Amino acid sequence: MDPGLQNEISRCVKIYKTIAATPSPSGAKIIPAVCDDALCIHTLWSSQDFVEFQKNKFSRDFVIEKESFKVLSSGIPSDVGSILLHGFSKSGRKRAVLTEKKSPEKKTYLEIWNGSKKEAAFDMSERKEHGNITDNDPFKCFEWSSDEKFILYAAEEKQPKSVSYFADTSQAKDETDNIIKGEEFVYREEWGEACVGSHHTVLCILEIETGLVQVLPTSKIGSDFSFGQARWGPNDETVIFIGWKEFPYRLGVWACRNRRSALYAINLESKDIECLTPDDNICVRSPRFSPNLDTLIYLENSGGGPHFKGAKLRKYDWKTKNNSTVVDLVENATGDEFPGIYVDYLPSRCWSEDGKYVYFSTIWRSRVAILCVDIENGKLQKVQVDEQFGSSVVLDVHYNMLVAELSAPNIDPCLVIGRIDAKNRAVIAWNYLDSHAPVIHSDIKWNIKRLTPTVPNEKYSDLDYEIIVISPTEMQNKCPLIIMPHGGPHSCFPAGFLSRRIGFVKLGYVLCIVNYRGSVGFGENNLNSLPGNIGTQDVADVQDFYKAAVLLNPVIDVSNMTGITDIPDWNWVEGGFGDDFDLSTVVKPDHLKAMWEKSPISHLENVRAPTLLLLGKKDLRVPMSQGIKYYQLLKARKVPVRVYQYDDNHQLLKTPHDGDHFMQAALWFYKHSS
């Protein structure tokens, strides 16, 4: 092997192993400590381990003084890799944990802990009431009742055991065995990418004392809904939850905040069900009760259309049963004006103690900012965070305190806690939980540049967009440049710690991350300018000279993907045919022609750059056949091309795949830029 290549391989391995080992927070909860003048911050983290080739998941408990926030103990990391779901009771004294044991056989257990004592445990692997407990978005929930006697969760509906028509069932254990013949090969729809095995979710309540499970009766709503994101209502007399429409057939729900759904409430005694959001063409998520349970807030946006878009913050008055809008959509955001709410979910706890304000994070142009919203008048303020950080994410709000994750392209993720100031609620004095300054990569610098398009949009002519330039602090006279637009296309790369990307900067590249027109966080006009203009506007916002290209699960032919993706409405909307995709529509030749013209494959004759394709075999969003076809065509045209395929889905997040696709990309650029 060439000595130069061998040195580059060693350098890439060393850099990426170091970066991938950087812990990233995934959750935090403020709970009581043993003494009254202290608090415990229970935190969850993850990192990549390239020795065992798996993701490390661990918890760490910080004990702090309640008044000064002085860290008394930072705890020892504890492995939580087997935990699927967990939840603390209202008092914070008890904890419910759903764990998965894989040896000697795969089993799932629900455990109830009180301090260091395991008070109860239940085998949830083969329940007669339901199938597997759901631990994936958007359905998952795991909630204690206020009296700490019940656990509310979502699970797959119990399916009868199916056997061959030729099977002998005369030896069934008893007459109650639910066995049907001839259904073992029947097709059952799933909810698509990242939701394989999720068919039809139901809501369940476990009584801790007896172990009995009740499946909530939702037949009054209909049989073709999946349910989740459930919460206990006032006095534990009701349960509120979301129902997603399964008809006429299921579309992918992962990363799709446009699936038609509604918010419901069921009275646990009478079993009466009320729809709290009667509009038939909306998507709702993140129901959150105020501390006194008289106000329910949630996020709402229109159904259909782009998969990620701005959301309204809505509230439901539990007494008057009236819905109203607290924060509306923002059509056009000029300069640094508030662009609207762009967030997947609200924090599980987001209310101030007096029930007047909520705190959450949102994409604000190329940053993630913390908002404080007055629920009565809708007035909002941006909570102050040091400008050195590009991303600030609220993880928990309790006792008028906030725990947040802060990061930047050159700053490792760190946790801070602060107290809400009653006089100025947007000013919070942040304190680091680790009691020292965050880890700053002095060899990296970054800035955000605002650009004016060279080709204006005919309908929305006053739009701009932004790029995040991340570069070595000490630059050579001539550094290679990597242009990196995000996918989606309605997404955003905010200026947080991008562990998958920073490695390239450590290798000496300048990284230009493009949040082109159509990205989220810039207002609805900016977002709506892209459908119908994919392949032109987003490309026009990116430079057109390249020595090499690396494509991760790319869309190559929009027309061809229509019949094989889990989100065929995406092809329709981004192809420019409107927000309302009729699932009974037969796509016609003129539609396919327009989609093809907006596809990368229509520019095939202009491709000269050596191209590396990184593909997931289990990708349901952009099936691997897209990339393979591109590979075949480029190879036939004698364009240097190579493919790596992974036993993974769209994101390629499994540790061995995450590391390998970084290495392959880095070495591809090294080969073709030298």
Side-chain angles (χ1 to χ4, degrees):
M1 181 182 291
D2 176 69
L5 177 59
Q6 184 61 58
N7 289 337
E8 185 68 8
I9 291 173
S10 299
R11 195 163 71 106
C12 292
V13 168
K14 181 179 180 180
I15 286 174
Y16 199 68
K17 284 179 70 174
T18 301
I19 293 174
T22 302
S24 176
S26 58
K29 211 73 162 181
I30 303 170
I31 58 177
V34 176
C35 52
D36 292 338
D37 59 353
L39 289 171
C40 177
I41 315 300
H42 178 78
T43 65
L44 297 175
W45 305 72
S46 66
S47 62
Q48 301 281 30
D49 182 345
F50 285 102
V51 175
E52 298 184 23
F53 286 95
Q54 65 180 11
K55 179 177 285 190
N56 285 331
K57 296 181 180 180
F58 61 92
S59 65
R60 194 175 173 195
D61 289 347
F62 297 85
V63 178
I64 63 173
E65 287 185 349
K66 189 179 294 186
E67 293 303 318
S68 68
F69 291 142
K70 178 183 178 182
V71 178
L72 304 175
S73 169
S74 57
I76 299 174
S78 176
D79 179 73
V80 294
S82 64
I83 294 179
L84 303 177
L85 295 170
H86 80 109
F88 287 96
S89 63
K90 186 176 181 180
S91 68
R93 303 296 181 187
K94 294 186 177 183
R95 188 183 183 207
V97 178
L98 184 71
T99 63
E100 183 179 75
K101 307 293 174 63
K102 296 183 179 180
S103 179
E105 59 178 322
K106 188 175 179 179
K107 288 278 191 177
T108 305
Y109 298 96
L110 198 160
E111 303 169 351
I112 304 298
W113 290 84
N114 188 349
S116 58
K117 180 183 178 182
K118 185 193 291 187
E119 289 191 332
F122 307 95
D123 186 346
M124 309 302 286
S125 308
E126 295 290 340
R127 299 292 305 197
K128 64 180 180 180
E129 302 90 350
H130 58 73
N132 293 333
I133 294 179
T134 302
D135 65 337
N136 58 327
D137 287 328
F139 309 108
K140 68 179 180 181
C141 54
F142 204 60
E143 301 290 328
W144 282 85
S145 61
S146 62
D147 61 10
E148 303 186 349
K149 295 181 179 180
F150 301 91
I151 302 292
L152 170 65
Y153 58 91
E156 280 294 302
E157 182 181 51
K158 187 69 174 180
Q159 294 297 311
K161 183 179 179 181
S162 181
V163 298
S164 168
Y165 281 118
F166 304 98
D168 180 7
T169 58
S170 62
Q171 302 302 314
K173 294 179 181 178
D174 55 61
E175 295 180 357
T176 62
D177 279 1
N178 193 3
I179 299 176
I180 60 174
K181 288 189 174 184
E183 294 290 306
E184 68 266 46
F185 303 117
V186 70
Y187 170 67
R188 298 185 64 211
E189 294 176 20
E190 296 179 322
W191 281 106
E193 176 73 16
C195 291
V196 172
S198 183
H199 307 276
H200 180 78
T201 51
V202 294
L203 299 174
C204 310
I205 296 176
L206 168 71
E207 185 177 23
I208 296 171
E209 183 177 356
T210 64
L212 296 176
V213 171
Q214 172 192 3
V215 178
L216 296 187
T218 54
S219 58
K220 293 180 180 178
I221 299 174
S223 60
D224 44 7
F225 285 81
S226 282
F227 303 105
Q229 292 190 36
R231 293 264 172 153
W232 295 94
N235 303 317
D236 297 338
E237 294 173 351
T238 60
V239 167
I240 61 104
F241 58 93
I242 293 173
W244 287 264
K245 299 176 181 179
E246 299 172 348
F247 53 86
Y249 57 84
R250 295 164 182 78
L251 296 173
V253 290
W254 171 77
C256 296
R257 308 302 171 221
N258 64 338
R259 298 295 174 232
R260 290 172 175 84
S261 52
L263 187 60
Y264 299 91
I266 181 171
N267 184 291
L268 295 179
E269 182 177 352
S270 68
K271 304 300 187 276
D272 290 337
I273 297 179
E274 180 182 6
C275 181
L276 309 183
T277 55
D279 192 328
D280 191 50
N281 189 36
I282 57 172
C283 170
V284 295
R285 60 189 184 276
S286 292
R288 305 288 187 259
F289 269 109
S290 60
N292 63 4
L293 302 177
D294 63 0
T295 302
L296 179 68
I297 61 168
Y298 57 94
L299 297 174
E300 173 188 308
N301 50 256
S302 59
H307 285 172
F308 193 4
K309 63 185 83 174
K312 299 177 183 179
L313 180 64
R314 300 270 287 169
K315 70 176 179 180
Y316 177 83
D317 190 301
W318 197 255
K319 295 178 181 178
T320 66
K321 299 185 181 299
N322 289 328
N323 286 295
S324 58
T325 298
V326 180
V327 179
D328 211 335
L329 301 176
V330 175
E331 298 299 329
N332 192 41
T334 303
D336 292 321
E337 292 177 350
F338 172 63
I341 297 172
Y342 296 89
V343 63
D344 285 322
Y345 300 106
L346 300 174
S348 181
R349 297 192 297 197
C350 56
W351 287 84
S352 61
E353 203 165 10
D354 60 10
K356 295 181 178 180
Y357 301 88
V358 293
Y359 291 82
F360 58 92
S361 297
T362 183
I363 299 171
W364 191 316
R365 298 186 70 89
S366 294
R367 295 176 178 264
V368 178
I370 298 176
L371 294 185
C372 169
V373 180
D374 187 321
I375 292 299
E376 286 301 313
N377 57 30
K379 180 182 177 182
L380 58 88
Q381 297 173 280
K382 183 191 288 188
V383 174
Q384 294 182 5
V385 176
D386 193 310
E387 279 294 311
Q388 70 174 326
F389 297 105
S391 174
S392 45
V393 180
V394 176
L395 299 178
D396 192 29
V397 183
H398 198 47
Y399 301 133
N400 276 346
M401 302 174 195
L402 272 76
V403 177
E405 173 202 346
L406 307 182
S407 72
N410 65 339
I411 303 178
D412 287 359
C414 59
L415 291 183
V416 293
I417 186 169
R419 182 175 285 107
I420 298 172
D421 188 327
K423 295 181 180 179
N424 189 342
R425 294 177 179 271
V427 177
I428 294 178
W430 298 107
N431 299 265
Y432 295 108
L433 281 181
D434 263 342
S435 299
H436 56 74
V439 176
I440 300 176
H441 297 258
S442 59
D443 57 338
I444 294 176
K445 62 182 179 179
W446 67 280
N447 68 321
I448 298 174
K449 295 181 180 292
R450 190 170 301 173
L451 303 177
T452 301
T454 55
V455 181
N457 184 286
E458 292 183 3
K459 184 176 180 180
Y460 306 102
S461 59
D462 59 343
L463 304 179
D464 59 18
Y465 67 103
E466 290 183 343
I467 60 173
I468 305 172
V469 180
I470 311 172
S471 61
T473 303
E474 299 295 331
M475 293 180 61
Q476 304 298 321
N477 291 333
K478 191 175 182 181
C479 288
L481 173 71
I482 297 177
I483 302 291
M484 187 176 294
H486 57 75
H490 306 291
S491 181
C492 180
F493 272 146
F497 188 75
L498 304 169
S499 59
R500 278 177 146 190
R501 328 296 177 194
I502 299 304
F504 292 109
V505 184
K506 296 275 188 180
L507 289 169
Y509 294 91
V510 174
L511 198 58
C512 178
I513 293 174
V514 185
N515 289 321
Y516 47 78
R517 289 168 293 169
S519 303
V520 299
F522 291 77
E524 291 299 276
N525 285 352
N526 199 302
L527 183 142
N528 290 324
S529 71
L530 186 55
N533 293 308
I534 59 169
T536 53
Q537 176 173 291
D538 47 349
V539 175
D541 288 349
V542 180
Q543 298 181 50
D544 59 359
F545 57 96
Y546 304 100
K547 282 191 173 182
V550 176
L551 310 179
L552 190 154
N553 287 319
V555 175
I556 298 301
D557 185 347
V558 179
S559 62
N560 176 265
M561 199 178 82
T562 303
I564 57 176
T565 178
D566 68 330
I567 52 170
D569 59 318
W570 180 95
N571 305 65
W572 183 268
V573 172
E574 301 305 334
F577 302 112
D579 287 355
D580 297 320
F581 176 61
D582 185 346
L583 293 180
S584 66
T585 296
V586 177
V587 180
K588 298 178 180 178
D590 56 332
H591 297 142
L592 295 174
K593 179 177 181 292
M595 292 178 187
W596 186 89
E597 290 172 347
K598 293 175 172 60
S599 302
I601 199 169
S602 68
H603 303 286
L604 185 68
E605 63 184 24
N606 299 321
V607 177
R608 300 289 183 272
T611 300
L612 175 67
L613 294 151
L614 306 169
L615 309 178
K617 294 181 182 179
K618 297 181 179 179
D619 190 347
L620 301 179
R621 186 62 38 103
V622 184
M624 191 175 72
S625 59
Q626 288 274 298
I628 293 297
K629 185 62 179 178
Y630 201 53
Y631 159 79
Q632 293 169 339
L633 290 169
L634 291 178
K635 186 176 182 182
R637 291 168 177 264
K638 296 182 171 53
V639 175
V641 62
R642 194 170 179 85
V643 173
Y644 287 85
Q645 53 184 1
Y646 304 93
D647 191 24
D648 209 338
N649 59 17
H650 189 63
Q651 297 185 87
L652 304 184
L653 289 180
K654 292 180 180 179
T655 298
H657 309 156
D658 180 77
D660 187 75
H661 88 248
F662 169 80
M663 290 295 299
Q664 301 301 345
L667 296 175
W668 190 258
F669 286 143
Y670 171 78
K671 177 181 179 180
H672 294 287
S673 63
S674 52

